[in-house]
């Protein structure tokens, strides 16, 4: 079993930056692609970014391209989401997710992920 714990959320102003971290514990996520999703109040969970096991492939939702960067440090079992030029519409609970270690390829789809963190709140004021 893999446990995922997100951190780094908070209240910031528009234009500020935050870096979210997702630390995996328990069985390692060796081989797993990882993703970040978010859910705003009253809205469905939305794909944000995904990264392959090697880190060589990354994909983003159009609304964050050029502002957010997903990365990983497999030695530390940690995935990051660097968020720059934050906007009020980025306000949401952000969730880290891991695919089964059998799947090293990234995915846009929440149902492809087997493990989820508890989420961290990001609030961007205008």
């Amino acid at each position: 079993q893999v446990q995922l714990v997100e951190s780094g959320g908070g209240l910031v102003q528009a234009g500020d930056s935050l870096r979210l971290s997702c630390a995996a514990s328990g069985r390692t996520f060796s081989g797993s692609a990882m993703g970040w999703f978010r859910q705003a109040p009253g809205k469905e969970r939305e794909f944000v970014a995904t990264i392959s096991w090697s880190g060589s492939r990354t994909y983003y939702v159009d609304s964050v391209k050029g502002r957010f960067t997903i990365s990983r440090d497999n030695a530390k079992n940690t995935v990051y989401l660097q968020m720059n030029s934050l906007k009020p519409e980025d306000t949401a609970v952000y969730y880290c997710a891991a695919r089964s270690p059998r799947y090293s390829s990234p995915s846009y789809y929440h149902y492809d992920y087997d493990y989820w963190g508890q989420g961290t709140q990001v609030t961007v004021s205008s």
Side-chain angles (χ1 to χ4, degrees):
Q1 190 73 10
V2 173
Q3 291 81 43
L4 303 175
V5 179
E6 302 97 334
S7 61
L11 172 62
V12 297
Q13 293 187 329
D16 286 350
S17 297
L18 279 175
R19 187 175 82 155
L20 304 184
S21 298
C22 172
S25 61
R27 183 170 61 83
T28 68
F29 65 1
S30 176
S32 298
M34 301 290 292
W36 285 97
F37 292 76
R38 66 186 179 186
Q39 188 166 19
K43 295 189 177 181
E44 304 233 334
R45 191 168 296 193
E46 172 190 37
F47 164 77
V48 176
T50 181
I51 187 167
S52 62
W53 160 245
S54 68
S56 62
R57 286 179 290 163
T58 58
Y59 302 101
Y60 301 89
V61 66
D62 285 347
S63 60
V64 308
K65 284 180 181 176
R67 300 188 298 121
F68 290 13
T69 303
I70 188 171
S71 62
R72 65 190 299 163
D73 184 338
N74 290 337
K76 296 181 178 179
N77 285 339
T78 302
V79 175
Y80 305 97
L81 186 67
Q82 178 67 43
M83 306 186 294
N84 298 330
S85 302
L86 282 161
K87 303 176 181 180
E89 51 263 43
D90 295 319
T91 295
V93 177
Y94 283 71
Y95 297 92
C96 172
R99 299 196 71 185
S100 163
R102 293 176 294 174
Y103 302 108
S104 63
S105 297
S107 172
Y108 301 96
Y109 306 109
H110 67 88
Y111 49 74
D112 281 338
Y113 292 82
D114 296 290
Y115 306 101
W116 292 83
Q118 82 290 346
T120 186
Q121 177 71 46
V122 172
T123 303
V124 185
S125 64
S126 57

